[in-house]
Amino acid sequence: MSESLAGNRFLIGYALSSQKINTFMKDSLVIHARDRGVDLIPIDLDKPLIEQGPFDCVIHKLYDTEWRKQLEEFSLQSPTTLIIDPVNAIEKLQNRVSMLEFVNELKIEHLETPLQVFVSDDSSESLQDAMTREGLKFPLIAKPLIADGAANSHQMSLILNQKGLTKLNPPIVLQEFVNHGGVIFKVYVAGDHVKCVKRKSLTDISEEKLNTSTSENYQVSNFSAQNQSDHENFAELIKAAEMPPLSFVNEVANRMRNALKLHLFNFDMLRDSRIGTRYLVIDVNYFPGYAKMPEFETVLTDFFIDIAHQKRSRESGNSDQMENKNKEADSNRNNL
């Protein structure tokens, strides 16, 4: 049976867009958390944050300047309230260049990132020249530079040939496409809790398909749907795909969490079809769609309870330190 929180209830304020509330703040999560001692309380975005609460913790996925200012003011007024997560730590994941740069710095065996190049809108360099400079070859995935959760940040194209480049408008990121058996591994992280799930992805692109294709590029979602129709047993393909070793997944997740200094994120990982021990991280997202994860209510509530224990442990330690200082002061006065 999952642990419930003893003592006072743990109060978490959440500041999310209406769309995020609809997809994340499910009744099943609110009830499960409430039954275990955690209350999830909506923050009114039409009122100053400093006039709301009290909260033991604030979770959020808002990025505008006004919200950032409100968080800073609130933190000064309520320094013991946990903010998950700091805006400056989140910013690294809003840029598709910086979001992957740190992965290679972790130097984890068997883990890489795909080759990619960013072309700005004021660059005199052509897309083809940028590809040549970085050693990129077709096929490619074209992605927007900014990854802030907006609808257009998810608009990606599969580029099969030179003509496909002419339909792209910088600023844009061109990323190496690696054949990976049509299966992607989505790894969800919530503090110390890690869960890896298999999801359908783009099918492999053979040299023959690449050389004979009459199309120049595809929207990724359209190409995926079109090619899945060629596999009557696509669900069986997912089922048969071997999961990455759990120890490997946990190592990657823990090392990434420590490097990013974030509690809530996920990453998309591929396994190279040619080299079965080669894995590539292709995307990292802050505060992802946890409701798509099996048993997400339990995982998130376990995480909430973890941070409640951490906060209370720190407060208890600070209280003990203060008590010891007071005793020491009393002792010194008595000795005078």
Side-chain angles (χ1 to χ4, degrees), residues 317-327:
N318 292 337
S319 177
D320 290 343
Q321 287 181 4
M322 183 60 69
E323 184 177 347
N324 290 335
K325 286 182 179 179
N326 290 337
K327 288 180 178 179

Side-chain angles (χ1 to χ4, degrees), residues 72-89:
E72 291 172 353
E73 292 175 349
F74 180 81
S75 294
L76 290 174
Q77 177 179 283
S78 306
T80 62
T81 299
L82 302 175
I83 305 297
I84 295 179
D85 277 301
V87 176
N88 58 355

Side-chain angles (χ1 to χ4, degrees), residues 137-157:
K137 299 179 181 179
F138 296 107
L140 301 168
I141 299 290
K143 302 181 175 184
L145 173 66
I146 303 302
D148 58 2
N152 59 359
S153 70
H154 298 293
Q155 293 179 355
M156 305 179 192
S157 299

Side-chain angles (χ1 to χ4, degrees), residues 87-327:
V87 176
N88 58 355
I90 299 170
E91 285 178 338
K92 181 179 287 188
L93 299 188
Q94 294 181 290
N95 179 302
R96 283 200 166 90
V97 175
S98 62
M99 76 161 53
L100 294 185
E101 284 179 337
F102 80 97
V103 176
N104 289 326
E105 295 172 2
L106 298 178
K107 299 188 184 305
I108 298 175
E109 188 176 8
H110 305 306
L111 185 73
E112 302 176 25
T113 59
L115 292 174
Q116 66 178 28
V117 62
F118 167 64
V119 182
S120 66
D121 52 2
D122 60 355
S123 174
S124 60
E125 186 178 39
S126 70
L127 295 179
Q128 180 61 64
D129 288 344
M131 283 180 57
T132 301
R133 172 168 53 85
E134 293 298 325
L136 283 167
K137 299 179 181 179
F138 296 107
L140 301 168
I141 299 290
K143 302 181 175 184
L145 173 66
I146 303 302
D148 58 2
N152 59 359
S153 70
H154 298 293
Q155 293 179 355
M156 305 179 192
S157 299
L158 176 65
I159 311 301
L160 299 180
N161 51 46
Q162 175 90 30
K163 289 183 179 179
L165 293 178
T166 63
K167 297 186 177 181
L168 302 177
N169 296 312
I172 201 160
V173 174
L174 299 178
Q175 189 179 89
E176 170 191 19
F177 177 82
V178 176
N179 283 332
H180 52 281
V183 177
I184 190 169
F185 302 103
K186 287 188 170 288
V187 182
Y188 294 89
V189 181
D192 294 331
H193 304 274
V194 179
K195 186 175 281 285
C196 180
V197 298
K198 297 180 283 189
R199 292 287 183 264
K200 59 189 177 183
S201 181
L202 299 178
T203 55
D204 289 353
I205 301 173
S206 65
E207 287 291 334
E208 180 183 4
K209 182 184 292 185
L210 186 63
N211 293 331
T212 60
S213 175
T214 57
S215 298
E216 300 162 2
N217 59 17
Y218 295 88
Q219 288 295 313
V220 166
S221 58
N222 294 339
F223 183 85
S224 181
Q226 173 182 324
N227 280 271
Q228 285 166 29
S229 65
D230 298 335
H231 297 271
E232 293 182 5
N233 298 316
F234 198 81
E236 290 299 317
L237 176 67
I238 296 287
K239 185 177 180 180
E242 182 181 354
M243 293 287 278
L246 181 60
S247 58
F248 175 72
V249 171
N250 285 333
E251 179 188 7
V252 175
N254 293 333
R255 296 274 297 277
M256 288 177 67
R257 185 185 66 245
N258 292 334
L260 291 169
K261 295 179 169 52
L262 293 173
H263 293 82
L264 299 173
F265 65 95
N266 82 337
F267 56 95
D268 295 342
M269 188 166 67
L270 311 178
R271 180 169 51 223
D272 192 331
S273 294
R274 300 166 304 163
I275 308 171
T277 57
R278 181 188 183 222
Y279 292 88
L280 301 100
V281 173
I282 62 169
D283 239 332
V284 188
N285 305 288
Y286 179 67
F287 208 143
Y290 285 104
K292 299 175 184 176
M293 176 181 69
E295 301 176 340
F296 93 102
E297 300 93 342
T298 300
V299 173
L300 266 295
T301 304
D302 286 345
F303 164 66
F304 296 150
I305 289 177
D306 285 349
I307 60 175
H309 287 319
Q310 291 168 16
K311 182 174 186 290
R312 291 177 179 181
S313 178
R314 280 204 301 271
E315 290 173 346
S316 176
N318 292 337
S319 177
D320 290 343
Q321 287 181 4
M322 183 60 69
E323 184 177 347
N324 290 335
K325 286 182 179 179
N326 290 337
K327 288 180 178 179

